[in-house]
Amino acid sequence: MAFQTLTILLSVVAALRVASGAIIKRVACPDGVNTATNAACCPLFAIRDDIQQNLFDNGECGEDVHESLRLTFHDAIGIGSNGGGGADGSIIIFSDIETNFHANLGIDEIVEEQKPFIARHNITPGDFIQFAGAVGVSNCPGAPRLNFFLGRPAATAPAPDLTVPEPFDTVDTILARFADAGQFSIVEVVWLLISHTIAAADHVDPTIPGTPFDSTPELFDTQFFVETQLRGTLFPGTGGNQGEVESPLRGEMRLQSDSELARDSRTACEWQSFVNNQAKLQNRFQAVMLKLSTLGHNTDDMVDCSDVIPIPPPFTGQATFPAGLSHADVEQACATVAFPTLASDPGPATSVAPVPPS
């Protein structure tokens, strides 16, 4: 009996080793340099290297990364009960239509920057948008390694207008739009807004282009969730623009939608849960971006090329209150959990520098 049990255990171990070997087996790519889990992914290495050097300034987490991530959302969210193909590249294929939608103000710049890359590589616009977004995010310390699935056919029609939520929309409107687009739950809406940790605005208030949404736009960290929860004071240049409200720091912008989602009873506790929780930030963003990036598609019909995406550099810092601010400046919104205890940065209050243009 003991011998029989041992034989069974050895068989199981052998089977697991075979399965493990099958999972990690890689193929050599024709370039003689790279390997991939699927030969169909091999052409992506050349595209990756091209955009890293010529779109993202040799791997920086800068303006073009921010805009490429924004484009992944603006393309994919164009789906719902009124039509649209989701993450299909329609915003590039039909750019003369979609970039004129009010919610897509300013998106034409990154669209025009990406078009030449698509023209010189054998890749559909839908695949390129999501691939560029995933590669770009990998340049930001603290980011998760995003998944990328290959195989989006080219869009055949533009997305309908009014599919992209705007900063002045109510929380009810925003939640309803996400539910219609892809059955995104309330907490998943918060997860998508993790993207604002590396975001900046050029057109919400055109008098102050490159204004970041938190004090560390070059880091994929939890600082955004700290600073949106602080009581703010107006800084010069706001001008009462629609979609923009009081900011907690001079030189920083807070969107009306972010401010309200941080304080709404349905989303406030999930919002607060990301403060100083880097592991959750990474895990949830990776999960929700996979869902967003494949809207309108079935991953069973696509090729998983996630191993082509670089591993982002780590971030080991801690969230803090900006200099001159403390727990007393928190506008507590979660009714069931106290705001985490954080240290304050030393020194007097300072201004947040704008994100330089690419």
Side-chain angles (χ1 to χ4, degrees):
M1 184 69 177
F3 178 78
Q4 183 180 16
T5 302
L6 178 60
T7 302
I8 293 172
L9 287 173
L10 290 173
S11 299
V12 170
V13 170
L16 288 173
R17 285 177 176 171
V18 170
S20 177
I23 291 171
I24 64 173
K25 184 178 179 180
R26 301 178 68 84
V27 297
C29 292
D31 62 9
V33 176
N34 295 291
T35 62
T37 54
N38 191 305
C41 304
C42 286
L44 294 174
F45 287 106
I47 303 174
R48 183 192 69 184
D49 294 345
D50 189 6
I51 60 179
Q52 283 285 57
Q53 180 177 354
N54 299 306
L55 181 61
F56 299 141
D57 300 321
N58 295 311
E60 289 187 1
C61 180
E63 174 70 5
D64 284 323
V65 167
H66 305 167
E67 289 302 307
S68 293
L69 180 56
R70 181 186 179 215
L71 186 60
T72 66
F73 172 72
H74 282 245
D75 184 52
I77 202 67
I79 189 171
S81 56
N82 291 327
D88 60 0
S90 67
I91 200 167
I92 284 182
I93 296 172
F94 300 98
S95 58
D96 57 328
I97 297 173
E98 291 193 38
T99 61
N100 288 312
F101 297 161
H102 185 269
N104 290 335
L105 180 67
I107 207 77
D108 59 309
E109 297 172 8
I110 190 62
V111 163
E112 293 305 316
E113 283 192 71
Q114 290 194 3
K115 282 182 178 180
F117 293 90
I118 297 169
R120 63 176 174 259
H121 293 287
N122 184 26
I123 188 170
T124 65
D127 277 343
F128 184 84
I129 288 171
Q130 300 303 325
F131 183 65
V135 171
V137 167
S138 76
N139 295 332
C140 303
R145 187 189 200 186
L146 297 182
N147 300 104
F148 174 71
F149 280 74
L150 179 72
R152 297 166 185 79
T156 57
D161 197 2
L162 305 179
T163 58
V164 181
E166 301 216 46
F168 50 80
D169 287 343
T170 65
V171 172
D172 285 344
T173 299
I174 292 170
L175 296 181
R177 172 79 276 271
F178 278 103
D180 179 59
Q183 296 183 337
F184 287 98
S185 68
I186 290 174
V187 295
E188 285 177 323
V189 174
V190 177
W191 300 355
L192 280 168
L193 289 169
I194 292 170
S195 63
H196 284 182
T197 183
I198 55 169
D202 288 326
H203 298 280
V204 174
D205 186 341
T207 68
I208 46 172
T211 305
F213 296 159
D214 76 358
S215 58
T216 56
E218 74 287 356
L219 297 174
F220 202 98
D221 61 3
T222 70
Q223 207 60 37
F224 168 72
F225 291 96
V226 177
E227 293 167 18
T228 49
Q229 205 65 70
L230 300 174
R231 296 182 180 88
T233 56
L234 286 172
F235 61 89
T238 57
N241 288 279
Q242 193 176 32
E244 180 188 357
V245 297
E246 291 181 337
S247 172
L249 296 171
R250 188 175 297 271
E252 179 179 297
M253 180 178 293
R254 180 187 294 172
L255 298 181
Q256 175 182 315
S257 52
D258 287 342
S259 181
E260 293 183 359
L261 283 161
R263 290 158 177 78
D264 190 276
S265 60
R266 292 165 290 183
T267 50
C269 288
E270 186 65 16
W271 194 279
Q272 180 181 289
S273 73
F274 287 107
V275 173
N276 217 19
N277 193 339
Q278 187 73 18
K280 180 176 180 179
L281 188 85
Q282 294 172 328
N283 176 273
R284 300 303 190 271
F285 192 66
Q286 182 187 56
V288 79
M289 280 300 294
L290 175 58
K291 182 174 180 176
L292 177 78
S293 67
T294 55
L295 283 178
H297 308 283
N298 185 343
T299 55
D300 290 341
D301 301 326
M302 306 172 80
V303 179
D304 186 353
C305 294
S306 303
D307 58 317
V308 181
I309 306 301
I311 298 174
F315 170 73
T316 57
Q318 298 290 314
T320 59
F321 291 118
L325 299 171
S326 68
H327 195 279
D329 297 290
V330 173
E331 189 172 4
Q332 179 70 33
C334 177
T336 57
V337 181
F339 197 87
T341 299
L342 305 176
S344 296
D345 290 334
T350 59
S351 295
V352 180
V355 175
S358 58

